[in-house]
């Protein structure tokens, strides 16, 4: 048995129940992990609320964690007991003191990366990796628009975009968050609760617009984001913090300048083992070299995950958040 956070049905933060769950011995291709830290991500909110339904209930949610290998199942030769490993993305089940993982979704951690840092950065960091290097390969001199620049994905993206030589325009929900984003390399901040971000982006780009928008807000910002793009620019809608984007007529993309639209997911970009390894290696390189610092700005005991969800949804968190079993 282990302590875990389960949901018995989708719902609000109160649906997160801290209880004992059974952990089986690892089967073929599986690894048993004793977890030291888990990451909190906005996708956990979508899974808890039912926006992203799970195949069965009750279910332990959570998509990111790190720990030490306790035992390996038949056919696993990439890992041995005692290895320090981390993971992000499928399958859910991270909110637990121990869990089973398929070996092929795990990566070994460099010694230079601490436990909390690892749990904070795998999902958000590999997301930034694919968004700025593979969805759109950001070039030196590009000016890009990044929403929620002071969030978990946001602070990592500000720093990594800087390292690539881009100019970053970031939206934020408060003046404190503006200062934080700037301290992490965001060149221009826009408080989109007070200012029309589209008009400001046009102003900052002398009317030209940006080649790419990274939009994780969804419903509230979708149309405004399209209006920030230059002709044939790329709209990357990769999250729904304000709710899912409403259905729309693709003719809008033509009217606004032959725009491109993509809705990417980490799972699709890192589905193959070699993609996962390359993505993690790129992330480890920028972190261990100090180009990207991981801001673990909140930690909660695993038993208080419901409060962590409340704070995340109330826009009270900045940077990354870690849950401690
Ligand atoms: P964040 O730390 O960025 O938290 C979400 C932020 O969104 C808030 O802090 C807030 O910042 C902003 N926000 C704007 N409007 C709302 C609203 N109505 N309700 C709540 N928050 C709002 O979370 P993560 O770093 O974990 O994730 C960022 C986004 O990236 C999420 O949408 C997530 O789903 C997405 N994502 C997508 C992935 C993919 O592969 N497709 C993978 C990983 C993350 P502010 O107050 O500054 O506006």
């Amino acid at each position: 048995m282990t302590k875990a956070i389960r949901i018995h049905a989708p719902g609000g933060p109160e649906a997160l129940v801290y209880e004992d769950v059974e952990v089986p011995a690892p089967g073929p291709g599986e690894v048993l992990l004793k977890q030291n830290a888990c990451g909190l991500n906005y996708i956990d909110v979508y899974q808890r609320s039912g926006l992203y339904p799970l195949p069965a209930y009750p279910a332990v949610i959570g998509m990111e964690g790190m720990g030490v290998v306790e035992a390996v199942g038949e056919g696993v030769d990439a890992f041995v007991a005692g290895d320090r490993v981390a993971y992000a993305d499928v399958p859910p089940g991270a909110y637990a003191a121990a869990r089973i993982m398929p070996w092929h979704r795990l990566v070994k951690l460099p010694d230079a990366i601490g436990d909390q840092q690892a749990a904070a950065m795998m999902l958000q960091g590999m997301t930034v990796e694919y968004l700025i290097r593979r969805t759109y390969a950001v070039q030196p001199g590009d000016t890009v628009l990044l929403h929620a620049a002071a969030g978990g994905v946001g602070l990592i993206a500000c720093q990594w975009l800087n390292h690539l030589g881009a100019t970053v325009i970031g939206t934020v929900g408060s003046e404190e968050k503006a200062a934080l984003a700037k301290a992490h390399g965001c060149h221009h901040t826009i408080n989109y609760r007070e200012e029309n971000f589209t008009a400001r982006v046009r102003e900052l780009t002398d009317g030209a617009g940006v080649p790419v928008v990274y939009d994780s807000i969804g419903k509230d910002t979708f149309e405004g984001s399209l209006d920030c793009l230059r002709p044939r620019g790329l709209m990357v809608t990769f999250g729904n913090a304000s709710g899912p984007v409403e259905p729309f007529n693709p003719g809008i993309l033509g009217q606004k300048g032959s725009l491109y639209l993509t809705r990417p997911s980490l799972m699709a970009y890192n589905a193959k083992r070699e993609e996962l390894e390359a993505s993690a290696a790129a992330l480890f390189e920028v972190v261990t070299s100090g180009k990207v610092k991981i801001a673990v700005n909140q930690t909660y005991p695993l038993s208080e995950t419901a409060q962590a969800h409340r704070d995340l949804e109330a826009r009270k968190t900045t940077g990354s958040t870690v849950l401690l079993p």
Side-chain angles (χ1 to χ4, degrees):
M1 296 297 261
T2 192
K3 288 286 183 198
I5 293 278
R6 277 205 299 196
I7 55 170
H8 291 253
E14 70 287 347
L16 299 161
V17 185
Y18 186 61
E19 59 192 358
D20 289 321
V21 301
E22 207 139 341
V23 188
E30 291 182 339
V31 171
L32 171 63
L33 285 186
K34 184 188 163 297
Q35 302 210 111
N36 296 344
C38 322
L40 177 75
N41 291 283
Y42 222 93
I43 188 172
D44 307 347
V45 171
Y46 310 142
Q47 290 183 342
R48 189 211 70 215
S49 70
L51 180 66
Y52 295 176
L54 295 167
Y57 299 94
V60 180
I61 63 166
M63 302 297 278
E64 175 180 41
M66 70 75 55
V68 176
V69 173
E70 287 244 302
V72 300
E74 199 190 306
V76 177
D77 46 23
F79 299 98
V80 294
D83 282 346
R84 261 179 98 238
V85 297
Y87 61 88
D89 220 334
V90 283
Y95 288 2
R99 75 167 298 187
I100 295 290
M101 274 294 290
W103 77 267
H104 59 90
R105 302 311 298 167
L106 297 173
V107 291
K108 276 186 197 158
L109 279 170
D111 292 342
I113 293 177
D115 289 5
Q116 292 192 16
Q117 201 183 16
M121 72 181 214
M122 296 302 293
L123 199 147
Q124 294 164 349
M126 291 196 295
T127 296
V128 172
E129 184 281 316
Y130 86 73
L131 288 174
I132 70 175
R133 297 180 359 136
R134 291 187 276 158
T135 305
Y136 173 93
V138 173
Q139 300 300 312
D142 278 344
T143 297
V144 313
L145 173 61
L146 167 74
H147 286 300
V153 167
L155 289 185
I156 296 172
C158 286
Q159 298 172 82
W160 205 330
L161 284 163
N162 247 273
H163 167 54
L164 295 181
T167 298
V168 187
I169 304 176
T171 59
V172 290
S174 71
E175 291 318 306
E176 296 72 33
K177 289 185 181 184
L180 189 67
K182 281 208 167 119
H184 287 78
C186 187
H187 299 88
H188 306 280
T189 54
I190 306 171
N191 183 340
Y192 49 6
R193 287 177 147 182
E194 288 176 357
E195 209 178 342
N196 178 319
F197 73 84
T198 305
R200 183 78 183 119
V201 168
R202 286 282 162 195
E203 196 177 87
L204 287 167
T205 57
D206 296 324
V210 292
V212 62
V213 176
Y214 294 109
D215 187 332
S216 63
I217 308 301
K219 190 161 159 256
D220 289 355
T221 49
F222 183 75
E223 274 220 56
S225 293
L226 294 180
D227 289 327
C228 293
L229 286 164
R230 73 181 186 197
R232 287 176 281 136
L234 176 64
M235 169 69 172
V236 184
T237 174
F238 71 102
N240 344 265
S242 68
V245 175
E246 303 285 346
F248 70 97
N249 176 352
I252 289 175
L253 301 175
Q255 288 159 20
K256 292 185 189 287
S258 294
L259 303 178
Y260 293 86
L261 170 69
T262 185
R263 203 315 180 182
S265 75
L266 176 61
M267 206 189 304
Y269 274 82
N270 280 359
K272 293 186 186 145
R273 177 75 194 162
E274 58 268 31
E275 291 165 337
L276 170 66
E277 285 180 355
S279 185
L283 174 63
F284 294 156
E285 197 284 318
V286 291
V287 172
T288 55
S289 65
K291 291 171 195 121
V292 171
K293 296 196 168 55
I294 304 301
V296 183
N297 288 358
Q298 298 78 213
T299 58
Y300 301 80
L302 184 64
S303 56
E304 288 171 27
T305 301
Q307 189 56 43
H309 274 229
R310 282 187 197 101
D311 292 346
L312 182 63
E313 287 181 275
R315 302 166 77 162
K316 286 184 182 161
T317 65
T318 59
S320 304
T321 302
V322 167
L323 306 170
L324 299 169

